[in-house]
Amino acid sequence: EKFAPLLIKIVDLSNNMLESVPAKLLGGRKLIALALDFNRLTSIPDSFRLNGPLRFLSAMNNQLTALPPSVSGLVMMRHLRMSSNQLAELPDLSRMAPRLERLHLESNKLRALPDSLSLCSRLVSLNVKDNMLQTLPGNLSYLTSLSEIDVSRNQIRELPESFIALEELRVMDFSMNRLTEMPAVQFLPNLERVLLQGNRIKEIDLWVPLLWLHNLQFLDVSGNGAEGPVDSVMNHYGDTWRAGAVSAVDRSWSTDFLHLTHILAGSNRLYLDGDTFPPYFFQMPVLQHLDFRNNSFHGRFLDLSQDIVYANFELEQLDPFTPEGWNLFKGNFNESLQMFTFGSTFTNPYNAPLRYLDISSNSFYGALPAFALRDLRELYMSNNNFEGRIPSTWGKMVVLEQVDISDNPKLVGSIPDVLGNATQLKYLNVKRTSIRHGDTTLLPWFMRADTKQFTSYPGNTECPTINDA
């Protein structure tokens, strides 16, 4: 006990039902880390100014309503974590700012962030999700080290212009806000994860982030109700795409999409400029998850009869990562092309390692695509206007676990024997189609045991819904 205030450097008092900070800690001149998480604290004592060496302070999941101004006097602070409290405002951060690297304040009642936040030039991570913020400070450009920002579940309507100066930003989460315009992410070349789902964005051009963010791994713009064509990028090349000559842009797919694994764009009003869903998503070398459910697509899903030709191009003295360059790109793209270099034709470029594909609740028509995505585990194509039979090539997708092609009344035939190759198949839904059950002895053994439990077909009322399976 006599050594506690003098010699102890690290103290963890989490989960002790404390209602106040022990007084003996306040004089600890060597204390560098203090954890007070999951207690019943309602305040932090003002005498914390005595703890000059403190670098880490965490008081998550308490009942704090305010932080004393003296907290700013913790000039050695690196990581301040006050998540899941009832904080309505923050004190001035000026003195703490020069060394602060991580500021985590999620799940509070903050309505604004102090202007002194701009002084945190070493700040790497800012988390203010699940608050009541309506705006962000206008001087974000001074946060030159910021790598991750999470402002999800707030009430942000627009981002300050200084946002595009955060060149080190790798992760941005602005989901579940009230944004009405797509942020200018093309000026943030280091972005890896972009989460914008659940906003009110009116118009989305998917190719802005997909083309210019060469480190992009995860893109989620679902649930915005936004309009926009998915193949708009090809409009910049005149009629080249319509002639079947171009399917890849900006050097080559193999170099531009080496990191992109997830595209989520469901519950919008995206549409096709032409009459066929573009195939270039299926040429992305590491894409695993593609979600376009509940949009406004009307046309054929894929036309496998058309050979694909790669093309490369270079832009002539154009830097798209500047506002001037981007405006030039948008307005005078064709004039900026220096040359096209065409590659060789090949007939089956659909080799993306997709594991999840959802195009349900659209207006696709024609035959089901005869692809063989060998890594595909979940396939959802329900509530469209597909017709014909289940392609035999689906038998090559041997790791399939769930398939839903229900609510396509023009689908006919029977469940093909080759689906028995998918030994992990647990759910097959063909309700409200004209597909017949066929020979169940060729289906996986765990489906044959009680086929009605897992397989839906006309007249089968015992098949669970996809959410129950």
Side-chain angles (χ1 to χ4, degrees):
E1 180 179 346
K2 63 180 180 180
F3 298 107
L6 297 177
L7 301 178
I8 292 181
K9 294 183 178 181
I10 300 175
V11 175
D12 187 350
L13 294 175
S14 303
N15 293 288
N16 277 288
M17 296 188 289
L18 297 177
E19 296 183 356
S20 62
V21 180
K24 291 183 179 181
L25 285 176
L26 303 180
R29 299 301 180 92
K30 293 189 177 183
L31 189 64
I32 62 173
L34 176 60
L36 299 166
D37 305 329
F38 296 94
N39 282 294
R40 300 176 181 177
L41 302 178
T42 58
S43 65
I44 297 290
D46 190 60
S47 52
F48 252 66
R49 66 185 183 275
L50 300 176
N51 294 80
L54 199 62
R55 299 177 186 178
F56 173 87
L57 176 59
S58 180
M60 297 191 308
N61 290 86
N62 280 280
Q63 302 171 25
L64 301 175
T65 57
L67 297 178
S70 60
V71 166
S72 184
L74 299 172
V75 296
M76 302 298 292
M77 185 62 61
R78 302 287 197 276
H79 189 168
L80 181 62
R81 188 168 63 183
M82 296 287 163
S83 310
S84 300
N85 282 283
Q86 301 179 38
L87 300 177
E89 61 181 357
L90 295 178
D92 181 78
L93 301 176
S94 300
R95 296 183 62 192
M96 182 189 298
R99 292 181 174 83
L100 191 62
E101 298 176 358
R102 297 182 179 275
L103 182 59
H104 291 178
L105 302 164
E106 62 267 31
S107 300
N108 279 286
K109 298 182 179 181
L110 298 174
R111 294 183 176 273
L113 298 176
D115 291 336
S116 55
L117 180 67
S118 64
L119 301 176
C120 301
S121 59
R122 295 187 182 181
L123 193 67
V124 174
S125 176
L126 174 63
N127 190 334
V128 289
K129 67 181 287 187
D130 194 19
N131 276 280
M132 304 171 68
L133 300 175
Q134 297 184 5
T135 60
L136 294 176
N139 47 8
L140 295 179
S141 58
Y142 295 102
L143 302 180
T144 54
S145 301
L146 193 63
S147 175
E148 301 178 2
I149 183 171
D150 188 344
V151 195
S152 59
R153 298 187 180 277
N154 278 280
Q155 303 171 24
I156 305 292
R157 296 180 181 273
E158 61 180 354
L159 303 183
E161 294 182 3
S162 59
F163 180 76
I164 64 174
L166 301 177
E167 296 183 354
E168 297 300 317
L169 200 62
R170 295 186 301 105
V171 179
M172 60 171 288
D173 188 346
F174 283 86
S175 58
M176 308 304 291
N177 275 280
R178 300 180 182 180
L179 297 176
T180 57
E181 295 184 0
M182 183 77 175
V185 295
Q186 64 270 21
F187 302 124
L188 304 173
N190 291 310
L191 276 175
E192 299 175 1
R193 296 176 63 86
V194 177
L195 294 92
L196 296 167
Q197 68 270 27
N199 278 279
R200 304 174 183 179
I201 299 174
K202 298 178 181 178
E203 185 175 356
I204 290 177
D205 188 343
L206 284 180
W207 293 102
V208 172
L210 294 183
L211 284 180
W212 300 119
L213 302 181
H214 299 301
N215 296 311
L216 188 63
Q217 300 174 12
F218 193 105
L219 174 66
D220 191 347
V221 293
S222 57
N224 276 281
E227 295 184 351
V230 296
D231 48 354
S232 61
V233 66
M234 293 305 168
N235 295 338
H236 296 305
Y237 312 137
D239 294 328
T240 312
W241 164 249
R242 304 303 176 197
V246 178
S247 68
V249 295
D250 197 10
R251 296 187 296 278
S252 73
W253 295 107
S254 60
T255 57
D256 284 341
F257 300 101
L258 281 177
H259 308 289
L260 184 60
T261 61
H262 287 70
I263 300 175
L264 290 81
S267 298
N268 284 294
R269 291 180 289 173
L270 303 178
Y271 57 89
L272 300 176
D273 271 351
D275 58 0
T276 303
F277 188 83
Y280 26 81
F281 295 104
F282 297 88
Q283 296 169 281
M284 295 179 178
V286 296
L287 188 65
Q288 298 178 11
H289 189 113
L290 185 61
D291 186 350
F292 278 114
R293 79 183 85 174
N294 192 24
N295 273 283
S296 299
F297 296 130
H298 180 78
R300 298 182 181 275
F301 182 56
L302 283 177
D303 183 2
L304 295 180
S305 65
Q306 182 176 1
D307 287 348
I308 305 299
V309 180
Y310 273 103
N312 300 323
F313 73 86
E314 295 181 3
L315 295 180
E316 181 181 3
Q317 298 179 350
L318 179 62
D319 182 4
F321 297 112
T322 64
E324 296 79 10
W326 178 246
N327 290 331
L328 178 63
F329 171 79
K330 291 175 65 177
N332 302 286
F333 187 87
N334 288 328
E335 298 178 6
S336 302
L337 293 181
Q338 185 177 8
M339 67 177 181
F340 279 97
T341 303
F342 291 96
S344 59
T345 302
F346 55 101
T347 57
N348 188 21
Y350 307 99
N351 51 11
L354 276 176
R355 298 181 179 182
Y356 180 103
L357 174 61
D358 192 343
I359 57 167
S360 56
S361 298
N362 281 283
S363 296
F364 287 113
Y365 58 82
L368 291 170
F371 49 38
L373 301 170
R374 298 181 184 273
D375 295 296
L376 197 64
R377 288 165 170 75
E378 298 182 53
L379 176 60
Y380 305 109
M381 308 180 80
S382 63
N383 195 23
N384 281 283
N385 296 307
F386 288 113
E387 58 189 57
R389 298 173 178 269
I390 297 176
S392 60
T393 57
W394 285 19
K396 297 179 180 180
M397 299 190 289
V398 296
V399 295
L400 274 175
E401 297 176 1
Q402 297 196 10
V403 177
D404 188 351
I405 53 175
S406 61
D407 293 288
N408 286 281
K410 296 182 180 179
L411 289 178
V412 296
S414 60
I415 298 173
D417 297 346
V418 292
L419 279 186
N421 297 333
T423 57
Q424 302 300 313
L425 189 62
K426 300 176 182 178
Y427 187 90
L428 174 62
N429 192 347
V430 294
K431 275 187 176 180
R432 289 174 291 279
T433 71
S434 296
I435 294 175
R436 296 297 168 185
H437 195 231
D439 185 359
T440 64
T441 62
L442 296 175
L443 292 174
W445 65 269
F446 47 79
M447 296 181 66
R448 294 199 304 268
D450 185 3
T451 303
K452 287 187 177 183
Q453 182 179 357
F454 296 98
T455 308
S456 175
Y457 55 91
N460 178 9
T461 60
E462 299 181 33
C463 179
T465 64
I466 196 70
N467 294 325
D468 295 330

